[in-house]
Amino acid sequence: MVEVPLLVGRNPNQLVTPYQKPLVRSSQCPAQRNLLNIEAFRSGEYPITRNLFVVVKKNGQLEEQVGMAYKNLLLSAQGQELIGQIGFVRIR
């Protein structure tokens, strides 16, 4: 039996896998994991993706400072590394 991830697409003739080939068998997981198809996520070719938004309260007070610090962390090299480590696709 061959294990295949769920292919999705906007139409039946253009299905996209969320993982790069070759695929890792589930018996090898979690020691070895499949690699994400990052280019499909970045390009929007893989249709089940969502953007991450940070909403900052602009009031000149502590809430605004904290929100901007969080946004800056997410966009920093360290933040992008952490985003990648938890399995999300980096934006930079």
Side-chain angles (χ1 to χ4, degrees):
M1 180 172 146
V2 177
E3 299 169 2
V4 179
L6 179 64
L7 300 173
V8 296
R10 289 185 172 80
N11 67 58
N13 299 326
Q14 295 177 328
L15 300 178
V16 182
T17 178
Y19 301 109
Q20 297 177 24
K21 293 180 182 180
L23 298 174
V24 175
R25 294 176 111 16
S26 61
S27 61
Q28 296 171 298
C29 189
Q32 184 179 1
R33 295 195 178 270
N34 287 311
L35 299 174
L36 291 175
N37 188 353
I38 292 173
E39 286 309 311
F41 288 112
R42 283 190 180 142
S43 70
E45 182 183 9
Y46 190 80
I48 305 176
T49 59
R50 294 293 174 258
N51 293 320
L52 173 64
F53 293 93
V54 175
V55 178
V56 177
K57 185 175 185 177
K58 295 280 190 175
N59 63 359
Q61 297 181 12
L62 184 60
E63 292 94 340
E64 183 174 349
Q65 294 172 7
V66 170
M68 293 302 290
Y70 181 63
K71 176 203 70 132
N72 292 335
L73 171 66
L74 290 176
L75 294 175
S76 71
Q78 179 185 15
Q80 291 297 297
E81 178 66 27
L82 293 170
I83 286 170
Q85 286 178 13
I86 62 171
F88 288 102
V89 176
R90 301 172 190 185
I91 58 173
R92 294 184 179 205

